[in-house]
Amino acid sequence: MVNIKRVEKNLKDFEKFSATPGNGCSRLAFSKEIKDAGYKLVELMEDANLTVTKDLCGNIFGIRKGKDSSKAAIVCGSHYDSVYNGGNFDGIAGVMSAIEIAKTLDENNITLERDYIVIAFMDEEGTRFGNGYFGSRAIMGEVSQDEINNFKDKSGMTLREAMENYGLDPDNIKDARWDDKKIGYFLELHIEQGPVLDQKKIELGIVNGIFGMQRYMIKVKGRADHAGTTPMNMRKDPMDIATKVIAKVADFAKETGEDTVATTGFISAKPGGMNIVASEVEFSLDIRSIDNDVVSEVYSKVTKLLDELTSKVGATYESRQTMDVKAAMMDEKLMDMMENIAEKKNYSYYVLPSGAGHDTMIIAKYHPTAMIFVPSINGRSHSPEEFTPYNYFEKAIDVLYELVISLD
Ligand SMILES: [Zn+2]
């Protein structure tokens, strides 16, 4: 059956495709490291008897032909890029697992009715250009020329230039789009990246949905004054307002239920002097929940408090939305099937939402999708400390393998 030693070896071999070897995985989009990783993936896919294609946005996919390729395929995979100094499991473990399923089908001489396609997505993290889900959006036809021309990395290089240097064809990005009928089911295995499964000592997570997210930059504008001479009741102090609002962000999230999270991770003040009442304070707001309405509800509580506090002293505020991603629900039939397989095999599982975004979230808008999590020890991820014991992978791959056969 599934050969977990092989998966372990492949994952360890892959640690070298990093710009920071020994200090976690730094494999950014359209970099030398990801190009080298791509060559190795082609090798592994060919070893699993897959027919390999690289598309014009850097995705790599390997096809195992079924008896009737006109039927919509079962597609399985994840991303092969990483954040700066990330872990060696995020994304790539899902790609290796999908390859292992192909290899196991091959070793068992199983020819499916449908095509089974392994996919390794380019640039899910968006670390370099600040966009994200690039490869999965490209195959769904969601990448625009505008994005390619205008998104830049830290050095000022545009996404277009980076793609051209990599030998890709940004002008024809529309051609990366897959036919609407090509995907029958999309399956992704991923590390949880949070502490829930590890804390509960549960082997597998069956994802019921991926959080929707709204992000804002909020600027409170008041008036700069002397910190010594201006009496408290004569100030328009944006710091006083902003900090009162920020102090309520966590409470607003908690009031709506345990699955909602809200975060202010950035704050800056102008002019920024110890003896000056600030003229302007800017802070970020990131709200996520499995329920899109709840995200909007938390945001409206924030703006209501801002309205109230600014109007009291004659200050103002501006709120600029920087991201709006709707929650994605996983296919219930596929969830049921995974639960049945896990029960039959006596694997412990827990149904949970994903707080992190994934390529699955993009595909789920168009096709039935399923996602399985393995525990992250101490919930650590996006860090060199990221780790998942291989026996968890073995069970998760086994569930997906059985799922592929049942779906076929
Ligand atoms: Zn990931």
Side-chain angles (χ1 to χ4, degrees):
M1 291 308 289
V2 168
N3 182 340
I4 197 60
K5 284 277 168 252
R6 190 159 56 199
V7 177
E8 181 177 345
K9 180 180 181 302
N10 289 344
L11 281 172
K12 283 184 175 155
D13 280 353
F14 242 70
E15 291 178 11
K16 63 175 178 281
F17 301 117
S18 165
T20 55
N23 189 18
C25 183
S26 303
R27 190 160 57 236
L28 301 203
F30 310 114
S31 64
K32 180 189 179 303
E33 294 74 35
I34 201 161
K35 191 169 232 176
D36 292 343
Y39 291 130
K40 181 72 187 171
L41 279 179
V42 170
E43 210 178 278
L44 291 173
M45 286 185 189
E46 284 176 347
D47 176 63
N49 264 329
L50 296 165
T51 308
V52 184
T53 312
K54 290 183 176 183
D55 72 6
L56 50 79
C57 60
N59 295 325
I60 303 173
F61 47 97
I63 304 177
R64 180 176 176 79
K65 280 261 174 234
K67 286 177 203 149
D68 182 1
S69 290
S70 69
K71 286 187 174 157
I74 301 172
V75 183
C76 185
S78 190
H79 60 99
Y80 71 115
D81 66 306
S82 81
V83 295
Y84 288 115
N85 303 109
N88 292 309
F89 297 86
D90 181 357
I92 192 63
V95 178
M96 293 304 182
S97 302
I99 294 174
E100 181 58 27
I101 290 169
K103 185 88 182 157
T104 310
L105 288 170
D106 198 54
E107 286 174 347
N108 292 339
N109 282 317
I110 295 175
T111 305
L112 299 172
E113 282 296 317
R114 305 154 175 266
D115 289 356
Y116 171 77
I117 305 178
V118 174
I119 187 151
F121 287 118
M122 171 62 85
D123 200 7
E124 184 263 1
E125 301 284 3
T127 302
R128 182 167 171 193
F129 294 99
N131 48 357
Y133 318 109
F134 183 72
S136 47
R137 286 189 296 113
I139 70 164
M140 294 291 110
E142 289 188 9
V143 174
S144 67
Q145 284 298 323
D146 205 42
E147 173 177 343
I148 289 173
N149 293 335
N150 294 317
F151 279 69
K152 290 183 181 139
D153 70 7
K154 274 188 197 159
S155 75
M157 185 186 281
T158 61
L159 177 49
R160 163 177 293 278
E161 288 161 339
M163 288 180 74
E164 283 167 353
N165 292 346
Y166 198 79
L168 298 170
D169 182 6
D171 284 328
N172 292 311
I173 191 78
K174 284 272 166 277
D175 297 345
R177 183 178 180 164
W178 285 19
D179 186 290
D180 290 342
K181 295 187 184 70
K182 187 162 167 179
I183 301 179
Y185 304 99
F186 180 78
L187 318 174
E188 181 171 8
L189 180 155
H190 204 282
I191 55 168
E192 184 202 341
Q193 302 182 279
V196 177
L197 296 174
D198 186 39
Q199 240 171 46
K200 291 181 184 288
K201 299 283 165 243
I202 285 175
E203 295 166 309
L204 303 173
I206 292 176
V207 178
N208 57 3
I210 300 177
F211 277 14
M213 167 171 56
Q214 291 182 23
R215 277 190 191 151
Y216 297 89
M217 287 302 289
I218 296 170
K219 209 180 266 181
V220 185
K221 294 177 171 180
R223 190 184 60 213
D225 278 309
H226 194 291
T229 60
T230 321
M232 297 313 287
N233 63 356
M234 294 186 191
R235 297 181 180 198
K236 288 186 187 181
D237 183 356
M239 185 64 85
D240 183 40
I241 297 166
T243 51
K244 280 183 174 132
V245 173
I246 293 166
K248 289 298 287 179
V249 164
D251 295 333
F252 290 154
K254 285 181 204 160
E255 283 163 17
T256 64
E258 61 169 328
D259 282 343
T260 305
V261 289
T263 308
T264 290
F266 167 87
I267 178 165
S268 89
K270 279 182 186 164
M274 284 172 85
N275 56 357
I276 313 168
V277 175
S279 58
E280 191 179 294
V281 173
E282 190 173 30
F283 63 96
S284 64
L285 179 64
D286 175 308
I287 314 165
R288 308 184 195 205
S289 170
I290 197 72
D291 184 336
N292 294 318
D293 292 341
V294 166
V295 175
S296 300
E297 187 188 322
V298 172
Y299 178 65
S300 64
K301 284 183 175 177
V302 168
T303 53
K304 189 166 165 252
L305 185 57
L306 276 164
D307 287 336
E308 195 185 302
L309 296 174
T310 50
S311 66
K312 250 188 217 166
V313 295
T316 58
Y317 74 94
E318 289 165 8
S319 176
R320 180 169 58 91
Q321 188 170 48
T322 59
M323 194 177 276
D324 183 11
V325 180
K326 297 287 175 248
M329 299 316 288
M330 300 296 102
D331 186 83
E332 283 181 19
K333 183 185 94 176
L334 297 184
M335 283 176 60
D336 280 349
M337 289 171 79
M338 288 200 292
E339 288 179 46
N340 288 336
I341 295 166
E343 271 160 32
K344 209 172 65 193
K345 292 181 175 270
N346 257 323
Y347 299 158
S348 59
Y349 69 89
Y350 181 70
V351 177
L352 78 174
S354 171
H358 296 287
D359 291 306
T360 289
M361 166 176 100
I362 306 298
I363 314 285
K365 290 192 265 180
Y366 310 92
H367 303 287
T369 57
M371 191 160 196
I372 190 162
F373 276 169
V374 284
S376 295
I377 298 306
N378 297 321
R380 303 296 306 279
S381 184
H382 283 187
S383 144
E385 316 290 308
E386 183 180 284
F387 185 68
T388 296
Y390 293 96
N391 61 320
Y392 291 138
F393 282 117
E394 186 172 20
K395 289 172 179 171
I397 299 169
D398 191 24
V399 170
L400 282 194
Y401 178 82
E402 295 290 334
L403 180 63
V404 167
I405 289 177
S406 310
L407 285 173
D408 189 54

